[in-house]
Amino acid sequence: MVSRVIPVDPFDLVIFGATGDLARRKILPGLYRRFVAGQIPETSRIIGSARTEMDDPGFRAFVAEAIAEFIDAKKRDAESITRFLDHLRYVAVDAKGDNGWPELAALIRTDVVQAYYFSVAPSLFGDLAERLHRHGIATPEARIVVEKPFGRDLETAKALNATLAAHFAESQIYRIDHYLGKETVQNLMAVRFANILFEPLWNARHVDHVQITVSETVGVGGRGAYYDKSGAMRDMVQNHLMQLLCLIAMEAPYRFDPDAVRDEKLKVIHALQPVVPEDIVRGQYRAGTRNGGGSYAEDVDHRDSRTESYIALKVDIANWRWKGTPFYLRTGKKLRARASEIAVVFKEVPHSIFGDEEGWRENVLAIRLQPNEGMTLSVMIKEPGPGGMRLTEVPLDMSFAEALGEDGADIPDAYERLIMDVIRGNQTLFMRGDEVEAAWAWTDPIIAAWEARGDRPKGYDPGSSGPEDALMLLHRDGRRWREMRE
Ligand SMILES: NC(=O)c1ccc[n+]([C@@H]2O[C@H](COP(=O)([O-])OP(=O)(O)OC[C@H]3O[C@@H](n4cnc5c(N)ncnc54)[C@H](OP(=O)(O)O)[C@@H]3O)[C@@H](O)[C@H]2O)c1
C-alpha cells in the first residue's frame, strides 16, 4: 500500500519558542520528515523565533543538531538536510517587548499561507497575539497554533479564549491536542464511520463498558513545578482522555467537516455526568527502585503535596446511546508499562449454547495508540483438538506497521500531521474554544470537590498498575481492568 503525500500550498510558518524543547524534539524534526516526504513546497519558509539572539546560520546549525538527535540515521541524509535548512530563517523577538517585531513584519509574505506556532508558555499567548496584530503582521487568513495547557480551569480558559478572540477569529485558531493527530485516533473514526459492521453494536445494548488507559513509565521529570499545580486530571484527563472518549462516544457527524465533527464531540461533553467521589481513585507514586528512585513528593519537591500522579474514574454519559455503559478512564505516571489503549468491551452472548464454561467470553475491540499502533478484535473460537467443545479467545490482530508495509513504519508523527493540517486550513483535529470550555466546566467541580474534602491520593508502587483502590473500582462492578502492557 502506498500512502499518498498531498503537497500543501506554499507557506511562511513562524515558530515562536523555536529554541525550546518542543520545537527541538518534535516540531522541527517533524517538518524535516515532511520535507523528505515531498510535502513542503520549494518556496515555503520556516521562521524560527525566540528571544535568544541568533542569525540564520546559527539557527540552521541548531536545527541540524536537532535532526541528528531526533531523526533515525537511516531516515536522514546530508543532501536533504542541506536543502531543508535552506528553507529556514530566524528572527529574535521578545513576546513581552517590541524587539524584533519590525524585522519579523518585513520578512513575512502576504501572498502565501501564514501560520504562527505559539510553542511558548501559555502566559505568552496573549502577548504574541496582541503583537502580531499591533505590528500588522498577521493577515485575516493567518492561522495561529496554540499548545496545551489551554487554561487550568474554566475561568482561565475563558480568559485565554477571550484574549485570542480579540485578535483572531475562531477559524484562525488551532488548539493542539496531539492525541488527535495520532494515526490510530483518526482510524477510530474510519472504523466507526466507514464500516457498517460496528455501528449496530456501538451502544449500551451491546457494549458492556469502555476502558481508556494512558499509562506512562516515567515520573514527572523536570516538569515537577508545573505538574504539581496541575495533576493527572488537568494534565491528561481534561484534554487527551476526554478527546478519546468523545471520538468513541459521539454520533456520526453529517460529514467529515471540522465543525460537524466538533459539534458532535461537544454534545458528548455536555452529556457527561458529574462524577461521585466513590467513582474516583487518585494516586501518588511512592519511592521505588524502578525508573529512578524518588517518590512523587520528592520529585516535585513538595513534601505534603496532594496532587495526583494517577487517576482512575468511572464516567457516565447521559444520552440514549450510552446510558448504562460506564466509561472507565485511567492515566498515571511511573506505571508498569508505557501504553495507550482504548478497549470497547462488548457484552456476552445472551445465552451460551455451549454450557456454563468458566472464563470471560466477551468480544473486545482494542485500539492501541502506543506502542505498536493498531487494533485487535478478540473473538471466541473452538479450542483445537478432540474432546468436546471448549472455547478459547483469539485476537484478530492488525498492526499498522505490518498492515501498511513500509508505509506503516513511516506513519507521520502526530505533530507532523497536525502542522500540515494547519497549513491546509483543516481544523477537524483541533479543539474548538467551546469544546475546551465545556471540558473544563465538567472537570472543575470534580477537582473542587476533592479539594474541599481535603482528599489525599493513595500511594502506589512504581512499576505497578496503580493504587489497589483502582482495581476495586472495576471489581465492585464485576469487571476488571485490562492488563497494562507494552
Ligand atoms: N515540551 C513538550 O514536550 C511539550 C508537550 C506538550 C506541550 N508543550 C507546550 O509547548 C509550549 C513550549 O514548551 P517547551 O517545553 O518547548 O518550553 P521551553 O523549552 O521552556 O521553551 C520555551 C521557548 O519560549 C521562548 N521564550 C521564552 N520567553 C520568551 C519571550 N518573552 N519571548 C519570546 N520567546 C520566549 C524560549 O526561548 P528564549 O529563552 O530564547 O526566549 C524557548 O524557545 C508550552 O506551552 C508547553 O506547555 C510542550
Side-chain angles (χ1 to χ4, degrees), residues 16-23 25 49-52 90 93-96 118-122 124-125 128 147-149 178 415:
F16 293 111
T19 57
D21 177 66
L22 184 68
R25 280 192 308 113
S49 188
R51 286 169 308 180
T52 305
Y90 184 85
V93 303
D94 183 351
K96 289 197 163 296
F118 293 6
S119 182
V120 294
L124 297 177
F125 291 173
L128 289 176
E147 264 298 336
K148 84 166 217 190
H178 69 271
Y415 279 95

PDB file of all heavy atoms in Angstrom, residues 16-23 25 49-52 90 93-96 118-122 124-125 128 147-149 178 415, ligand 1:
ATOM      1  N   PHE A  16       7.266  30.437  17.196  1.00  0.00           N
ATOM      2  CA  PHE A  16       7.692  31.155  18.402  1.00  0.00           C
ATOM      3  C   PHE A  16       8.079  30.103  19.438  1.00  0.00           C
ATOM      4  O   PHE A  16       7.348  29.142  19.647  1.00  0.00           O
ATOM      5  CB  PHE A  16       6.559  32.030  18.939  1.00  0.00           C
ATOM      6  CG  PHE A  16       6.196  33.181  18.040  1.00  0.00           C
ATOM      7  CD1 PHE A  16       4.978  33.212  17.377  1.00  0.00           C
ATOM      8  CD2 PHE A  16       7.087  34.239  17.849  1.00  0.00           C
ATOM      9  CE1 PHE A  16       4.638  34.272  16.545  1.00  0.00           C
ATOM     10  CE2 PHE A  16       6.758  35.303  17.014  1.00  0.00           C
ATOM     11  CZ  PHE A  16       5.532  35.315  16.363  1.00  0.00           C
ATOM     12  N   GLY A  17       9.216  30.310  20.075  1.00  0.00           N
ATOM     13  CA  GLY A  17       9.710  29.276  21.007  1.00  0.00           C
ATOM     14  C   GLY A  17      10.550  28.256  20.264  1.00  0.00           C
ATOM     15  O   GLY A  17      10.655  27.103  20.676  1.00  0.00           O
ATOM     16  N   ALA A  18      11.178  28.698  19.148  1.00  0.00           N
ATOM     17  CA  ALA A  18      11.913  27.771  18.276  1.00  0.00           C
ATOM     18  C   ALA A  18      13.137  27.163  18.944  1.00  0.00           C
ATOM     19  O   ALA A  18      13.646  26.140  18.497  1.00  0.00           O
ATOM     20  CB  ALA A  18      12.338  28.486  16.998  1.00  0.00           C
ATOM     21  N   THR A  19      13.605  27.800  20.031  1.00  0.00           N
ATOM     22  CA  THR A  19      14.779  27.237  20.709  1.00  0.00           C
ATOM     23  C   THR A  19      14.371  26.312  21.851  1.00  0.00           C
ATOM     24  O   THR A  19      15.233  25.772  22.546  1.00  0.00           O
ATOM     25  CB  THR A  19      15.662  28.374  21.289  1.00  0.00           C
ATOM     26  OG1 THR A  19      14.831  29.158  22.171  1.00  0.00           O
ATOM     27  CG2 THR A  19      16.219  29.263  20.198  1.00  0.00           C
ATOM     28  N   GLY A  20      13.083  26.144  22.054  1.00  0.00           N
ATOM     29  CA  GLY A  20      12.593  25.378  23.204  1.00  0.00           C
ATOM     30  C   GLY A  20      12.580  23.872  22.965  1.00  0.00           C
ATOM     31  O   GLY A  20      12.860  23.379  21.866  1.00  0.00           O
ATOM     32  N   ASP A  21      12.190  23.164  24.002  1.00  0.00           N
ATOM     33  CA  ASP A  21      12.207  21.697  23.995  1.00  0.00           C
ATOM     34  C   ASP A  21      11.252  21.114  22.945  1.00  0.00           C
ATOM     35  O   ASP A  21      11.628  20.211  22.188  1.00  0.00           O
ATOM     36  CB  ASP A  21      11.808  21.231  25.415  1.00  0.00           C
ATOM     37  CG  ASP A  21      11.716  19.735  25.514  1.00  0.00           C
ATOM     38  OD1 ASP A  21      12.771  19.089  25.370  1.00  0.00           O
ATOM     39  OD2 ASP A  21      10.605  19.213  25.704  1.00  0.00           O
ATOM     40  N   LEU A  22      10.047  21.612  22.899  1.00  0.00           N
ATOM     41  CA  LEU A  22       9.068  21.027  21.982  1.00  0.00           C
ATOM     42  C   LEU A  22       9.485  21.230  20.521  1.00  0.00           C
ATOM     43  O   LEU A  22       9.388  20.332  19.684  1.00  0.00           O
ATOM     44  CB  LEU A  22       7.679  21.652  22.215  1.00  0.00           C
ATOM     45  CG  LEU A  22       6.557  21.054  21.378  1.00  0.00           C
ATOM     46  CD1 LEU A  22       6.262  19.626  21.787  1.00  0.00           C
ATOM     47  CD2 LEU A  22       5.284  21.894  21.501  1.00  0.00           C
ATOM     48  N   ALA A  23       9.969  22.444  20.207  1.00  0.00           N
ATOM     49  CA  ALA A  23      10.401  22.739  18.838  1.00  0.00           C
ATOM     50  C   ALA A  23      11.559  21.825  18.444  1.00  0.00           C
ATOM     51  O   ALA A  23      11.585  21.253  17.353  1.00  0.00           O
ATOM     52  CB  ALA A  23      10.806  24.205  18.720  1.00  0.00           C
ATOM     53  N   ARG A  25      12.505  18.880  19.775  1.00  0.00           N
ATOM     54  CA  ARG A  25      12.250  17.437  19.764  1.00  0.00           C
ATOM     55  C   ARG A  25      11.209  17.018  18.736  1.00  0.00           C
ATOM     56  O   ARG A  25      11.287  15.945  18.168  1.00  0.00           O
ATOM     57  CB  ARG A  25      11.778  16.974  21.141  1.00  0.00           C
ATOM     58  CG  ARG A  25      12.904  16.775  22.135  1.00  0.00           C
ATOM     59  CD  ARG A  25      12.451  16.042  23.380  1.00  0.00           C
ATOM     60  NE  ARG A  25      11.267  16.644  23.990  1.00  0.00           N
ATOM     61  CZ  ARG A  25      10.087  16.045  24.043  1.00  0.00           C
ATOM     62  NH1 ARG A  25       9.933  14.847  23.567  1.00  0.00           N
ATOM     63  NH2 ARG A  25       9.060  16.663  24.602  1.00  0.00           N
ATOM     64  N   SER A  49      11.843  31.678  15.931  1.00  0.00           N
ATOM     65  CA  SER A  49      11.847  32.913  16.688  1.00  0.00           C
ATOM     66  C   SER A  49      11.856  32.632  18.189  1.00  0.00           C
ATOM     67  O   SER A  49      11.191  31.701  18.653  1.00  0.00           O
ATOM     68  CB  SER A  49      10.601  33.728  16.302  1.00  0.00           C
ATOM     69  OG  SER A  49      10.679  34.989  16.877  1.00  0.00           O
ATOM     70  N   ALA A  50      12.625  33.404  18.912  1.00  0.00           N
ATOM     71  CA  ALA A  50      12.674  33.344  20.385  1.00  0.00           C
ATOM     72  C   ALA A  50      13.476  34.575  20.795  1.00  0.00           C
ATOM     73  O   ALA A  50      13.914  35.345  19.928  1.00  0.00           O
ATOM     74  CB  ALA A  50      13.344  32.057  20.852  1.00  0.00           C
ATOM     75  N   ARG A  51      13.697  34.758  22.097  1.00  0.00           N
ATOM     76  CA  ARG A  51      14.469  35.947  22.495  1.00  0.00           C
ATOM     77  C   ARG A  51      15.954  35.785  22.189  1.00  0.00           C
ATOM     78  O   ARG A  51      16.650  36.752  21.893  1.00  0.00           O
ATOM     79  CB  ARG A  51      14.315  36.200  24.004  1.00  0.00           C
ATOM     80  CG  ARG A  51      12.964  36.758  24.390  1.00  0.00           C
ATOM     81  CD  ARG A  51      12.813  36.710  25.885  1.00  0.00           C
ATOM     82  NE  ARG A  51      13.114  35.366  26.383  1.00  0.00           N
ATOM     83  CZ  ARG A  51      13.080  35.005  27.652  1.00  0.00           C
ATOM     84  NH1 ARG A  51      12.788  35.890  28.577  1.00  0.00           N
ATOM     85  NH2 ARG A  51      13.345  33.771  28.018  1.00  0.00           N
ATOM     86  N   THR A  52      16.463  34.567  22.273  1.00  0.00           N
ATOM     87  CA  THR A  52      17.901  34.312  22.042  1.00  0.00           C
ATOM     88  C   THR A  52      18.352  34.934  20.717  1.00  0.00           C
ATOM     89  O   THR A  52      17.696  34.729  19.696  1.00  0.00           O
ATOM     90  CB  THR A  52      18.158  32.789  21.981  1.00  0.00           C
ATOM     91  OG1 THR A  52      17.644  32.223  23.178  1.00  0.00           O
ATOM     92  CG2 THR A  52      19.634  32.464  21.824  1.00  0.00           C
ATOM     93  N   TYR A  90      15.664  32.951  10.795  1.00  0.00           N
ATOM     94  CA  TYR A  90      15.499  33.181  12.244  1.00  0.00           C
ATOM     95  C   TYR A  90      15.384  34.671  12.512  1.00  0.00           C
ATOM     96  O   TYR A  90      16.122  35.481  11.944  1.00  0.00           O
ATOM     97  CB  TYR A  90      16.698  32.613  13.023  1.00  0.00           C
ATOM     98  CG  TYR A  90      16.530  32.739  14.516  1.00  0.00           C
ATOM     99  CD1 TYR A  90      15.835  31.773  15.232  1.00  0.00           C
ATOM    100  CD2 TYR A  90      17.036  33.842  15.218  1.00  0.00           C
ATOM    101  CE1 TYR A  90      15.645  31.896  16.610  1.00  0.00           C
ATOM    102  CE2 TYR A  90      16.858  33.962  16.596  1.00  0.00           C
ATOM    103  CZ  TYR A  90      16.162  32.981  17.277  1.00  0.00           C
ATOM    104  OH  TYR A  90      15.979  33.108  18.636  1.00  0.00           O
ATOM    105  N   VAL A  93      12.694  37.745  18.595  1.00  0.00           N
ATOM    106  CA  VAL A  93      11.668  38.683  19.087  1.00  0.00           C
ATOM    107  C   VAL A  93      11.439  38.404  20.571  1.00  0.00           C
ATOM    108  O   VAL A  93      11.661  37.299  21.052  1.00  0.00           O
ATOM    109  CB  VAL A  93      10.296  38.572  18.364  1.00  0.00           C
ATOM    110  CG1 VAL A  93      10.399  38.764  16.876  1.00  0.00           C
ATOM    111  CG2 VAL A  93       9.579  37.292  18.717  1.00  0.00           C
ATOM    112  N   ASP A  94      10.944  39.437  21.245  1.00  0.00           N
ATOM    113  CA  ASP A  94      10.538  39.261  22.632  1.00  0.00           C
ATOM    114  C   ASP A  94       9.019  39.416  22.671  1.00  0.00           C
ATOM    115  O   ASP A  94       8.494  40.467  22.280  1.00  0.00           O
ATOM    116  CB  ASP A  94      11.221  40.324  23.510  1.00  0.00           C
ATOM    117  CG  ASP A  94      10.886  40.117  24.975  1.00  0.00           C
ATOM    118  OD1 ASP A  94      10.014  39.272  25.286  1.00  0.00           O
ATOM    119  OD2 ASP A  94      11.495  40.807  25.816  1.00  0.00           O
ATOM    120  N   ALA A  95       8.338  38.368  23.137  1.00  0.00           N
ATOM    121  CA  ALA A  95       6.876  38.421  23.184  1.00  0.00           C
ATOM    122  C   ALA A  95       6.397  39.549  24.083  1.00  0.00           C
ATOM    123  O   ALA A  95       5.302  40.076  23.925  1.00  0.00           O
ATOM    124  CB  ALA A  95       6.328  37.086  23.690  1.00  0.00           C
ATOM    125  N   LYS A  96       7.240  39.947  25.040  1.00  0.00           N
ATOM    126  CA  LYS A  96       6.813  40.949  26.010  1.00  0.00           C
ATOM    127  C   LYS A  96       7.347  42.350  25.702  1.00  0.00           C
ATOM    128  O   LYS A  96       7.107  43.288  26.457  1.00  0.00           O
ATOM    129  CB  LYS A  96       7.248  40.533  27.412  1.00  0.00           C
ATOM    130  CG  LYS A  96       6.438  39.347  27.930  1.00  0.00           C
ATOM    131  CD  LYS A  96       6.586  39.225  29.426  1.00  0.00           C
ATOM    132  CE  LYS A  96       5.508  38.352  30.036  1.00  0.00           C
ATOM    133  NZ  LYS A  96       4.148  38.859  29.905  1.00  0.00           N
ATOM    134  N   PHE A 118       2.594  28.971  18.420  1.00  0.00           N
ATOM    135  CA  PHE A 118       2.932  29.522  19.736  1.00  0.00           C
ATOM    136  C   PHE A 118       3.494  28.393  20.618  1.00  0.00           C
ATOM    137  O   PHE A 118       2.805  27.862  21.476  1.00  0.00           O
ATOM    138  CB  PHE A 118       1.695  30.121  20.412  1.00  0.00           C
ATOM    139  CG  PHE A 118       1.119  31.358  19.751  1.00  0.00           C
ATOM    140  CD1 PHE A 118       1.592  31.832  18.543  1.00  0.00           C
ATOM    141  CD2 PHE A 118       0.094  32.068  20.368  1.00  0.00           C
ATOM    142  CE1 PHE A 118       1.060  32.973  17.947  1.00  0.00           C
ATOM    143  CE2 PHE A 118      -0.452  33.204  19.793  1.00  0.00           C
ATOM    144  CZ  PHE A 118       0.023  33.663  18.573  1.00  0.00           C
ATOM    145  N   SER A 119       4.753  28.037  20.401  1.00  0.00           N
ATOM    146  CA  SER A 119       5.355  26.970  21.211  1.00  0.00           C
ATOM    147  C   SER A 119       6.101  27.598  22.388  1.00  0.00           C
ATOM    148  O   SER A 119       7.307  27.419  22.561  1.00  0.00           O
ATOM    149  CB  SER A 119       6.290  26.122  20.344  1.00  0.00           C
ATOM    150  OG  SER A 119       6.825  25.084  21.109  1.00  0.00           O
ATOM    151  N   VAL A 120       5.345  28.380  23.140  1.00  0.00           N
ATOM    152  CA  VAL A 120       5.906  29.096  24.299  1.00  0.00           C
ATOM    153  C   VAL A 120       4.968  28.859  25.475  1.00  0.00           C
ATOM    154  O   VAL A 120       3.890  28.279  25.305  1.00  0.00           O
ATOM    155  CB  VAL A 120       5.989  30.616  24.016  1.00  0.00           C
ATOM    156  CG1 VAL A 120       6.988  30.917  22.910  1.00  0.00           C
ATOM    157  CG2 VAL A 120       4.618  31.175  23.669  1.00  0.00           C
ATOM    158  N   ALA A 121       5.339  29.345  26.646  1.00  0.00           N
ATOM    159  CA  ALA A 121       4.467  29.191  27.819  1.00  0.00           C
ATOM    160  C   ALA A 121       3.117  29.857  27.527  1.00  0.00           C
ATOM    161  O   ALA A 121       3.074  30.928  26.902  1.00  0.00           O
ATOM    162  CB  ALA A 121       5.128  29.844  29.018  1.00  0.00           C
ATOM    163  N   PRO A 122       2.022  29.261  27.976  1.00  0.00           N
ATOM    164  CA  PRO A 122       0.705  29.840  27.707  1.00  0.00           C
ATOM    165  C   PRO A 122       0.560  31.283  28.199  1.00  0.00           C
ATOM    166  O   PRO A 122      -0.222  32.054  27.631  1.00  0.00           O
ATOM    167  CB  PRO A 122      -0.252  28.916  28.477  1.00  0.00           C
ATOM    168  CG  PRO A 122       0.453  27.607  28.537  1.00  0.00           C
ATOM    169  CD  PRO A 122       1.918  27.943  28.634  1.00  0.00           C
ATOM    170  N   LEU A 124       2.347  33.554  27.552  1.00  0.00           N
ATOM    171  CA  LEU A 124       2.794  34.464  26.486  1.00  0.00           C
ATOM    172  C   LEU A 124       1.850  34.477  25.281  1.00  0.00           C
ATOM    173  O   LEU A 124       2.047  35.264  24.350  1.00  0.00           O
ATOM    174  CB  LEU A 124       4.206  34.070  26.004  1.00  0.00           C
ATOM    175  CG  LEU A 124       5.336  34.164  27.035  1.00  0.00           C
ATOM    176  CD1 LEU A 124       6.653  33.680  26.428  1.00  0.00           C
ATOM    177  CD2 LEU A 124       5.492  35.609  27.528  1.00  0.00           C
ATOM    178  N   PHE A 125       0.840  33.600  25.275  1.00  0.00           N
ATOM    179  CA  PHE A 125      -0.043  33.518  24.094  1.00  0.00           C
ATOM    180  C   PHE A 125      -0.672  34.884  23.784  1.00  0.00           C
ATOM    181  O   PHE A 125      -0.723  35.324  22.638  1.00  0.00           O
ATOM    182  CB  PHE A 125      -1.178  32.504  24.313  1.00  0.00           C
ATOM    183  CG  PHE A 125      -0.751  31.055  24.368  1.00  0.00           C
ATOM    184  CD1 PHE A 125      -1.675  30.077  24.714  1.00  0.00           C
ATOM    185  CD2 PHE A 125       0.549  30.663  24.074  1.00  0.00           C
ATOM    186  CE1 PHE A 125      -1.305  28.736  24.766  1.00  0.00           C
ATOM    187  CE2 PHE A 125       0.931  29.325  24.132  1.00  0.00           C
ATOM    188  CZ  PHE A 125      -0.005  28.365  24.479  1.00  0.00           C
ATOM    189  N   LEU A 128       1.787  37.417  22.312  1.00  0.00           N
ATOM    190  CA  LEU A 128       2.114  37.141  20.904  1.00  0.00           C
ATOM    191  C   LEU A 128       0.946  37.559  20.002  1.00  0.00           C
ATOM    192  O   LEU A 128       1.152  38.207  18.971  1.00  0.00           O
ATOM    193  CB  LEU A 128       2.424  35.649  20.706  1.00  0.00           C
ATOM    194  CG  LEU A 128       3.737  35.134  21.297  1.00  0.00           C
ATOM    195  CD1 LEU A 128       3.863  33.620  21.102  1.00  0.00           C
ATOM    196  CD2 LEU A 128       4.950  35.826  20.659  1.00  0.00           C
ATOM    197  N   GLU A 147      -0.472  25.724  22.007  1.00  0.00           N
ATOM    198  CA  GLU A 147      -0.127  24.467  22.673  1.00  0.00           C
ATOM    199  C   GLU A 147      -0.958  24.293  23.933  1.00  0.00           C
ATOM    200  O   GLU A 147      -1.593  25.202  24.420  1.00  0.00           O
ATOM    201  CB  GLU A 147       1.372  24.490  23.033  1.00  0.00           C
ATOM    202  CG  GLU A 147       2.256  23.809  22.014  1.00  0.00           C
ATOM    203  CD  GLU A 147       1.929  22.322  21.877  1.00  0.00           C
ATOM    204  OE1 GLU A 147       1.378  21.743  22.816  1.00  0.00           O
ATOM    205  OE2 GLU A 147       2.216  21.746  20.812  1.00  0.00           O
ATOM    206  N   LYS A 148      -0.908  23.093  24.471  1.00  0.00           N
ATOM    207  CA  LYS A 148      -1.512  22.862  25.777  1.00  0.00           C
ATOM    208  C   LYS A 148      -0.530  23.311  26.852  1.00  0.00           C
ATOM    209  O   LYS A 148       0.652  23.376  26.555  1.00  0.00           O
ATOM    210  CB  LYS A 148      -1.891  21.401  25.918  1.00  0.00           C
ATOM    211  CG  LYS A 148      -0.738  20.478  26.378  1.00  0.00           C
ATOM    212  CD  LYS A 148      -1.238  19.136  26.818  1.00  0.00           C
ATOM    213  CE  LYS A 148      -0.459  18.632  27.979  1.00  0.00           C
ATOM    214  NZ  LYS A 148      -0.660  17.270  28.376  1.00  0.00           N
ATOM    215  N   PRO A 149      -0.916  23.600  28.079  1.00  0.00           N
ATOM    216  CA  PRO A 149      -2.287  23.530  28.562  1.00  0.00           C
ATOM    217  C   PRO A 149      -3.103  24.752  28.149  1.00  0.00           C
ATOM    218  O   PRO A 149      -2.576  25.865  28.143  1.00  0.00           O
ATOM    219  CB  PRO A 149      -2.101  23.497  30.074  1.00  0.00           C
ATOM    220  CG  PRO A 149      -0.833  24.242  30.325  1.00  0.00           C
ATOM    221  CD  PRO A 149       0.032  23.980  29.138  1.00  0.00           C
ATOM    222  N   HIS A 178      -2.246  16.812  20.750  1.00  0.00           N
ATOM    223  CA  HIS A 178      -1.509  15.961  19.811  1.00  0.00           C
ATOM    224  C   HIS A 178      -2.064  14.540  19.767  1.00  0.00           C
ATOM    225  O   HIS A 178      -1.799  13.815  18.815  1.00  0.00           O
ATOM    226  CB  HIS A 178      -0.008  16.005  20.070  1.00  0.00           C
ATOM    227  CG  HIS A 178       0.421  15.349  21.332  1.00  0.00           C
ATOM    228  ND1 HIS A 178       0.473  16.025  22.513  1.00  0.00           N
ATOM    229  CD2 HIS A 178       0.793  14.093  21.590  1.00  0.00           C
ATOM    230  CE1 HIS A 178       0.866  15.188  23.459  1.00  0.00           C
ATOM    231  NE2 HIS A 178       1.064  14.008  22.919  1.00  0.00           N
ATOM    232  N   TYR A 415       2.530  15.435  15.422  1.00  0.00           N
ATOM    233  CA  TYR A 415       2.825  16.857  15.193  1.00  0.00           C
ATOM    234  C   TYR A 415       2.965  17.162  13.708  1.00  0.00           C
ATOM    235  O   TYR A 415       2.518  18.204  13.232  1.00  0.00           O
ATOM    236  CB  TYR A 415       4.101  17.268  15.945  1.00  0.00           C
ATOM    237  CG  TYR A 415       3.830  17.542  17.395  1.00  0.00           C
ATOM    238  CD1 TYR A 415       4.011  16.555  18.356  1.00  0.00           C
ATOM    239  CD2 TYR A 415       3.368  18.778  17.813  1.00  0.00           C
ATOM    240  CE1 TYR A 415       3.745  16.797  19.689  1.00  0.00           C
ATOM    241  CE2 TYR A 415       3.093  19.043  19.140  1.00  0.00           C
ATOM    242  CZ  TYR A 415       3.286  18.044  20.075  1.00  0.00           C
ATOM    243  OH  TYR A 415       3.007  18.299  21.392  1.00  0.00           O
TER     244      TYR A 415
HETATM  245  N1  LIG B   1       7.997  20.043  25.665  1.00  0.00           N
HETATM  246  C1  LIG B   1       6.977  19.246  25.465  1.00  0.00           C
HETATM  247  O1  LIG B   1       7.103  18.032  25.262  1.00  0.00           O
HETATM  248  C2  LIG B   1       5.584  19.807  25.433  1.00  0.00           C
HETATM  249  C3  LIG B   1       4.495  18.912  25.342  1.00  0.00           C
HETATM  250  C4  LIG B   1       3.200  19.438  25.276  1.00  0.00           C
HETATM  251  C5  LIG B   1       3.008  20.802  25.316  1.00  0.00           C
HETATM  252  N2  LIG B   1       4.071  21.653  25.437  1.00  0.00           N
HETATM  253  C6  LIG B   1       3.815  23.091  25.464  1.00  0.00           C
HETATM  254  O2  LIG B   1       4.574  23.712  24.442  1.00  0.00           O
HETATM  255  C7  LIG B   1       4.984  25.014  24.826  1.00  0.00           C
HETATM  256  C8  LIG B   1       6.516  25.096  24.744  1.00  0.00           C
HETATM  257  O3  LIG B   1       7.067  24.134  25.629  1.00  0.00           O
HETATM  258  P1  LIG B   1       8.625  23.819  25.708  1.00  0.00           P
HETATM  259  O4  LIG B   1       8.750  22.613  26.541  1.00  0.00           O
HETATM  260  O5  LIG B   1       9.232  23.872  24.366  1.00  0.00           O
HETATM  261  O6  LIG B   1       9.134  25.077  26.570  1.00  0.00           O
HETATM  262  P2  LIG B   1      10.640  25.596  26.738  1.00  0.00           P
HETATM  263  O7  LIG B   1      11.619  24.527  26.445  1.00  0.00           O
HETATM  264  O8  LIG B   1      10.685  26.286  28.072  1.00  0.00           O
HETATM  265  O9  LIG B   1      10.770  26.690  25.589  1.00  0.00           O
HETATM  266  C9  LIG B   1      10.163  27.952  25.671  1.00  0.00           C
HETATM  267  C10 LIG B   1      10.516  28.755  24.446  1.00  0.00           C
HETATM  268  O10 LIG B   1       9.931  30.054  24.581  1.00  0.00           O
HETATM  269  C11 LIG B   1      10.925  31.043  24.320  1.00  0.00           C
HETATM  270  N3  LIG B   1      10.584  32.230  25.100  1.00  0.00           N
HETATM  271  C12 LIG B   1      10.544  32.348  26.447  1.00  0.00           C
HETATM  272  N4  LIG B   1      10.197  33.620  26.794  1.00  0.00           N
HETATM  273  C13 LIG B   1      10.010  34.305  25.647  1.00  0.00           C
HETATM  274  C14 LIG B   1       9.640  35.629  25.333  1.00  0.00           C
HETATM  275  N5  LIG B   1       9.397  36.555  26.287  1.00  0.00           N
HETATM  276  N6  LIG B   1       9.532  35.991  24.041  1.00  0.00           N
HETATM  277  C15 LIG B   1       9.780  35.097  23.048  1.00  0.00           C
HETATM  278  N7  LIG B   1      10.126  33.816  23.274  1.00  0.00           N
HETATM  279  C16 LIG B   1      10.242  33.412  24.556  1.00  0.00           C
HETATM  280  C17 LIG B   1      12.219  30.375  24.762  1.00  0.00           C
HETATM  281  O11 LIG B   1      13.360  30.896  24.128  1.00  0.00           O
HETATM  282  P3  LIG B   1      14.198  32.164  24.663  1.00  0.00           P
HETATM  283  O12 LIG B   1      14.541  31.882  26.089  1.00  0.00           O
HETATM  284  O13 LIG B   1      15.359  32.195  23.732  1.00  0.00           O
HETATM  285  O14 LIG B   1      13.311  33.337  24.504  1.00  0.00           O
HETATM  286  C18 LIG B   1      12.005  28.959  24.248  1.00  0.00           C
HETATM  287  O15 LIG B   1      12.296  28.893  22.872  1.00  0.00           O
HETATM  288  C19 LIG B   1       4.417  25.206  26.244  1.00  0.00           C
HETATM  289  O16 LIG B   1       3.154  25.816  26.127  1.00  0.00           O
HETATM  290  C20 LIG B   1       4.228  23.771  26.754  1.00  0.00           C
HETATM  291  O17 LIG B   1       3.211  23.693  27.724  1.00  0.00           O
HETATM  292  C21 LIG B   1       5.352  21.165  25.499  1.00  0.00           C
END
